[in-house]
Amino acid sequence: MSFENYDPYFPDQPVVDQYLPVWGNLPSYRSKPAFIWAEDGSSGSPKCTSLTYEGLNHSVHSLSSQLVLSFQRGDMVVILCSPGLELVEILFGCQRAGLVGVPIIPPNPTFSNDNHHHLTRVLSQTRPKVAIADRGYIEKVQEYIKLSHRENPLANLLRNLVWMSMESLGEKNVSSDKSLHSSYQGCKPDEVYLIQYTSGATGIPKPVLVTAGAAAHNVRVARKSYDLHPNSIITSWLPQYHDCGLMFLLLTIVSGATCVLTSPNAFINRPRLWLELITKFKATCTPVPSFTLPLVVKRGQASDKQRLPVNLSTMKNLIIINEPIYHEAIKQFVEVFTPFGLKPSAISPSYGLAENCTFVSTAWRSRLQEVDFPIHKKLLPSARLRYNEEDDDEDEQINIYIVNEETNELVEDGFEGEIWIASSPSNATGYLHHPSLTQEIFHSRLKGSFTHQHFIRTGDRGIIEGAERFLFVTGRCSDIIKHEKGFETHAHYLETTAYESCMRFLRGGCIAAFDVDGSMTVIVAEMQKCGEEEEGILRRICEGIRGFVMKEEGIHVGLIALVKSGSIPKTTSGKIQRWLAKDRFLRGKMDVVMQMKFSEEDNSFKKSLGQNPMIDQSENRKKFLYSTL
C-alpha cells in the first residue's frame, strides 16, 4: 500500500492520542499495522504479531472506558508492564482516560536483588492510585506483600495500591459504539499526562512533568526533522518507558508510520536481531544508543550465511543518541556495513533530554546529504543550529544556546559552555513536588539580552563550530575533572583512552573516570570475563592504562582499579553513572580485583586486593549530595 500522496503535516492534533481516531477511521489505514512486536524465536526467525491502527484505536477506547469508571481524572497510574504491544495500549489508554501514566521498567517482583530502590522512590514521590502489570507479576507481588513484615516500607507502598492486570483489562472488551466518535474527553494539551523519569546518568532519577500538548509538539518537531511520513518503517529495541523509546511510540502515531518493536534483552542477547528486523521489514528509520554500533560490529554476525542475509539499503535515518558520539566508532560501523547497503548519509547524530520531552535537535538534514560531518576532538556533532531565519518555521524550532554556567552569559561560537534550551512548546513543566529545583533548571535567565525569556539548563557541555553552526555535545558539567591551572578534562576521554590501552582484557563502555576530593584522578575499569589473571598481568594492565592516558591526554592518573564484570553502574540506555560508580567505589561496594596508586613524583606504586586503604578515609565518610530529590 502506498501513501506517497499523503501530506504528513495534516491533520495536526493537539495531543497524540487524537491521531488514532483519524487513522483508525480512514479506509486505507484501518488495516495498516501501527506497531509490530517481534520475538526472537528459537528457530532463528523472529515471531511477529501486529496491531493495526483500527485495532489500536479500539483497544485504547476499551481500556480508557474501563479506567474512567474506577478512577478520577488526574489520578496517577504506575505502569509495570513488560515491553510489548499491551504496554503501548496501556500508555495511550491512560492518556485517553485523562490519567497520568508513570511507566517504569518492572523490577524483579521478589525484590531480592536490591533492585527495588527506583520503584520505592517512584511510589513515594507520585503516590499512584493504581498499578497495572501482568497477571503473573501481580501474583508474585502479592506473595511478597503477604510474606513481608508490617514495617517493610516497600510492602506497605505496594499494599496501598489497587492492582489491575493487563489481561483483565483486555478481557473486558468494550464493543464499538457512538462513543468512539464522540467529543474527546482525554488529556487536554495543558494537562500532565506522563511522569517521565530522567535517566540517572548524573544523579538520582528525577520525575519530569510532561503535558500532552508538549509531547505532541515535540514529536511533530522530530517528525519534520527526520522527514518521517506514512511510508516510514521504524524499528526500535529501546525501552518503551521513557525518553527515546517512548518518544518513538508517539512519533509513529503522528507520522502515520509503522513501528517494529522488540525488547532490549532480545537485542543484547543477539544483536543481529536488530539487523534482521531492518532487513525483513525494509526499515527506513531506527534510533539506537551510541554503544550499539561497536557492539554490533563485534557481535552482529552480519555475514552469517545460515540466517537471513542482511540488507540495510532502505535505511534513511540511523539515529544515534547518547552523547558523546565518537567519529571513529561511526566510521568503523559504516565501513563494515556499507557492503550490506548502508548509506553513510543515513547516519543521524541527535540530541535530546527528558526535560524537553525528549527530542531537541539533530545534525542530520536531508539537504545536507552530500556534506560530511565535521569533527571536534574525535566527536561528531549532535545538532545543526539554525543560521538562517528562513530555515525553519518558528513554531517548529527549538533554539539552543551555549552559556557560561558560572556567569549565565552567552559565549561565542568556538568556546565551550553549558547547553541551554530556550522556552518552547516542547518544554516539560518541571519536576514533581520540587518547585525550587524546577525554578533553577526550567526557569533560568541569561544575563544581558533575552532577559525576558526562560531557558532549560541541560547540565550538558557543548560547543558550536563552523559556518553551519554544528553543535558538539562534549560531556556533562558534573563529570568534568578539574586539574591545576584551571585545566579541565571530560571523563569520557580518559575512559576511552583507558580502554584503548588494553582492549583485550577490558570491557568497552564499562570504565568510569572521576576525581576524588579534587586532588586525585581515579579510573575504575571492568575486566572481561576471562578467568583469574596473574597478579603480574593485572599490574601491567594498570601500568598500561596509566602510561597511555598520560601519553594521549597528558593527565596523571593517581589510582587505577580493576573490577569484576558488571560492577560499573549504567542507565537503561547504557550511559555510565559516574556519580554512582564513585559512591560505590569509595564505600568499598565494588568487587575489586586489583588497584594501584601512582605517585606523581615518580613511578612508584602501591597495590591492594581488598578495600581502598590508599584513599583518605575522610572521603569515605562524606555524604554525597546528588540532587535535592
Side-chain angles (χ1 to χ4, degrees), residues 170-183:
E171 290 165 358
K172 299 175 183 178
N173 198 14
V174 177
S175 60
S176 179
D177 56 32
K178 292 183 180 180
S179 61
L180 260 172
H181 315 290
S182 61
S183 60

Side-chain angles (χ1 to χ4, degrees), residues 1-3 20 22-36 49-57 256-258:
M1 185 179 296
S2 176
F3 301 88
L20 285 177
V22 175
W23 304 133
N25 291 309
L26 285 175
S28 59
Y29 279 79
R30 288 174 183 166
S31 60
K32 179 186 178 182
F35 295 98
I36 297 172
T49 54
S50 64
L51 187 59
T52 65
Y53 272 98
E54 182 180 40
L56 177 58
N57 183 46
T258 295

